[in-house]
Amino acid sequence: MCGILGGNNPKWDYKSAIDTMRYRGPDGQRVRSFGDVTFAFARLAIMDLNERAMQPMDSADGLVHIVFNGEIYGFGELRKELAGEYKFNTTSDTEVILNAYLKYGDSFIDHIDGMFAIAIYDERDRRIRLYRDRPGIKPLYYYFHDGEFAFSSELKGIASLIGEERLDIDDTAICDYLHYQYIPCPKSLYKDVYKLPPAHRLVFDVGQKRMSVAEPYWELKVNGTAARKRSEADVSDTLRMLIRRSVKDQMVADVPVGTFLSGGVDSSIVTYESSRLNPDIRAFTMGFEDKDFDETDFARLMTDRYQLNAISEILGDKDLKETKGRLKEWYDEPFADTSAYPTYRVSQLAKKHVTVVLTGDGGDELFGGYDRYERYLNNLKSPGREWRTIKQFIKYVLRYGGITSRLAEVAETAFNVYKREQGMNLLYPNPAVESFLSKYDIPDDYDRAWYYRQNWNEELPPMTRVRCLDFKTYMHDAVLTKVDRVSMQVSLESRVPLLSREIIEYAFSLSSEECCPGNRLKDCLKQAYINEIPGEILYRPKMGFGVPYEYMRNEMMHGHMWLGVLINEWETCSKLRNSETAYGLNLQ
C-alpha cells in the first residue's frame, strides 16, 4: 500500500519525486508543505476508499501530520479505545495511528502491529519521526547531509529529490553485495542514504537540522534453551490459534483479497486458513515448463482438496525474457535473487483479479525451514569435514588470491563465516571480487563478515542461532525486499500473516526442541497442520522459487556464490549507473 516521501528543503521537486513511485500509489498523489517540511504521498486505496482517507492526514488541530505506507492489523480494537477521546472522520487505519500518537506520544508504536513505514511531523516540537515495522516488511530510506533530510519508500525517490549526480556510490556497499548478494541494512548503494532498520525509529529536529541515531523500539526476545517444556499438542494448538487470528486480521480490506500458493508448507497453510474465512478466495500459482522447478502439482493438491478458486500460469524461457533489464528499475541497487522474475509474473497475474494477496513469507526464518540449517548442524557434528573444507579454501586463496596483505584477514573472515553463516554465501573468495576490491576504495582491513558477526549469537542453541540470524538479516534484506518491490510494481499489496508480532514472539519463545524436535526442519508447524495440509506437501524436499538454470543461460555462476554481475561490467558503466547488468541478470 502506497509510497511515502518527504524532506526539509523547500527547493526540492517533491511532485516529480513522488511520481517516480506512482506505481506504489496509482489511486492518487498529493504533495503538501508545512513550513519548511514537505510530505508527499502516492495512494493505493485499500481501506476507506473515499477521498477523506487521503494522505498526508492532519490532526484535528492541524499541528500533526502523517504519511504512512502499510497496514495496521486489528486496528479496530485500538480505534474503540480511542473513540471516546478522539473524533474519527474516516474508517482508515491511518487515522487510528495519528490519534494513537496524539494520545500516547512516541510510545504509540507499542500499541500497534502491522507492516508499516510511518512518518509523522509534529509542529509542536518541529520534529519529523520515522518508524519501520518490526520484521521489516515495508521499506524506508532516509538521507542526511549538511542539514538536509529526506525520506522515501524507495531509493529512487531520494535520488530524484537530491539529484542522482550528487550522490556518491558507497564502494563498501558494493563489496557487501558481492558477498551477501544484497546490500545489507542500514547501508544503501549511496553514501549518506540509509535504510531504517526493522523495529527502529529515527527523529529529525527541523529547527536545529539535527538527526538522532536510529534506535530500536522493540527487541526480539529469544529462548536460549534447548529442552522441551511445552507439549507438542500445546504448541500445535497455540500456533493454529495465532495463525488463524493473524490471517483473519490481514484479510480486512475494502478491496478483493487473494493468496499466493506455491505448493510449499507456508503458503499452503496461509491459503488453507484464508479459505476457511472465504471459500471463494482466489489462489494464484506460478509454475515452470521445466518440471524440475515446477511446483504446480503440489499446489493442485491443495486446490483439489479444498475446491479452491485456483488461477495458475506456466512460465517458459520467452516469458522471463520479457522482464529483461528491469531489476535496476525495481530495486534501485544491486539485488541478486533470480526469483524476483517469477514473483513479478505471479504478481502481474494476481493483479488482474485482486488488489491484496496474502503470502507465506517468514515461515522458514521463524520455524527453521531452510535446508542449509541441516548442513550447518551436520558440520558441527563432523569437524573433520569442516577442516577438509577449510583446507580447500586455503588452496583456493593461494591459487587465485595470491599472497597479499589481505590474505590473513580474508582467511580469518572466511573461517569464522564458515562456522557462523551456515553456508549461505561467504564460504569462498572469488577472483572477480578480489579484483574489484583491489581497484576501489575498500580498506585492507574491511570486515566483510560484519553483518553476520553483528547478528550472530554463539550462546544460542545451533538451530535457534541460525533462525535468529536469518530473521535479522536475510529475511528483510532479501525475501521481503524482493516481494515488496515486484508486487508494488504492479500496484499489488502483499501481506505476510506469518509475521504478525504475536507469531514472531511466540516462534522465538520456543526452545530449540519445541520448534524443531530432533532438528527436523519446521516440525512444530508441520505437526500443527498435519491433518489439514497433505503429507506430500508437508514432507517433500524444499524447492524454493528459483528460476531454471537454462533460462538464465550464461548469466549464472554455479557454486557457493553467485555474483549476478561481471566485474568488468561494473567498471565500464560509470560505476553502476544506467547498467542493467550491474543490478542482476542481463537476459539474452
Side-chain angles (χ1 to χ4, degrees), residues 179-199:
H179 288 84
Y180 296 96
Q181 301 179 17
Y182 54 80
I183 294 179
C185 185
K187 292 186 181 181
S188 81
L189 176 60
Y190 302 112
K191 297 176 181 177
D192 300 321
V193 183
Y194 306 93
K195 305 176 183 92
L196 186 64

Side-chain angles (χ1 to χ4, degrees), residues 268-291:
S268 295
I269 289 173
V270 169
T271 298
Y272 164 74
E273 291 292 359
S274 302
S275 69
R276 293 180 69 253
L277 297 167
N278 177 12
D280 295 324
I281 197 166
R282 296 180 177 92
F284 301 96
T285 301
M286 189 65 60
F288 296 101
E289 291 175 352
D290 185 334
K291 289 300 180 182

Side-chain angles (χ1 to χ4, degrees), residues 144-157:
F144 180 66
H145 182 72
D146 286 345
E148 289 185 336
F149 178 78
F151 65 87
S152 176
S153 292
E154 296 186 16
L155 192 54
K156 59 172 59 69

Side-chain angles (χ1 to χ4, degrees), residues 4-5 39-41 55-56 65-69 117-120 151:
I4 65 173
L5 179 142
F39 278 2
F41 182 69
Q55 301 177 39
H65 319 279
I66 184 174
V67 283
F68 153 60
N69 167 33
I118 300 170
I120 294 175
F151 65 87

Side-chain angles (χ1 to χ4, degrees), residues 54-124:
M54 186 62 174
Q55 301 177 39
M57 187 177 288
D58 307 327
S59 60
D61 61 9
L63 296 177
V64 181
H65 319 279
I66 184 174
V67 283
F68 153 60
N69 167 33
E71 301 292 341
I72 302 304
Y73 312 143
F75 67 92
E77 291 301 313
L78 181 56
R79 178 191 170 103
K80 290 178 184 177
E81 295 176 18
L82 299 168
E85 191 171 346
Y86 297 91
K87 180 182 178 181
F88 285 87
N89 299 308
T90 75
T91 58
S92 72
D93 48 354
T94 307
E95 193 173 21
V96 174
I97 298 172
L98 183 58
N99 286 332
Y101 171 78
L102 294 176
K103 180 174 178 61
Y104 298 111
D106 196 51
S107 64
F108 85 93
I109 199 72
D110 300 325
H111 296 263
I112 65 171
D113 181 28
M115 55 179 196
F116 53 80
I118 300 170
I120 294 175
Y121 176 45
D122 191 334
E123 292 191 52
R124 297 172 300 183

Side-chain angles (χ1 to χ4, degrees), residues 354-374:
V354 300
T355 307
V356 175
V357 291
L358 308 187
T359 81
D361 292 320
D364 288 320
E365 292 80 9
L366 295 191
F367 301 106
Y370 290 117
D371 293 341
R372 60 177 178 268
Y373 296 168
E374 289 184 326

Side-chain angles (χ1 to χ4, degrees), residues 334-400:
F335 189 75
D337 189 341
T338 59
S339 65
Y341 292 105
T343 305
Y344 174 75
R345 290 303 298 263
V346 74
S347 297
Q348 280 185 314
L349 176 65
K351 182 59 180 178
K352 296 175 183 177
H353 304 273
V354 300
T355 307
V356 175
V357 291
L358 308 187
T359 81
D361 292 320
D364 288 320
E365 292 80 9
L366 295 191
F367 301 106
Y370 290 117
D371 293 341
R372 60 177 178 268
Y373 296 168
E374 289 184 326
R375 294 196 298 272
Y376 171 70
L377 294 172
N378 288 336
N379 285 334
L380 292 182
K381 296 176 183 178
S382 306
R385 181 192 309 177
E386 181 173 301
W387 174 238
R388 287 192 298 273
T389 302
I390 293 167
K391 288 195 294 185
Q392 290 172 354
F393 158 74
I394 292 172
K395 290 180 181 179
Y396 191 93
V397 172
L398 292 174
R399 179 178 178 184
Y400 293 107

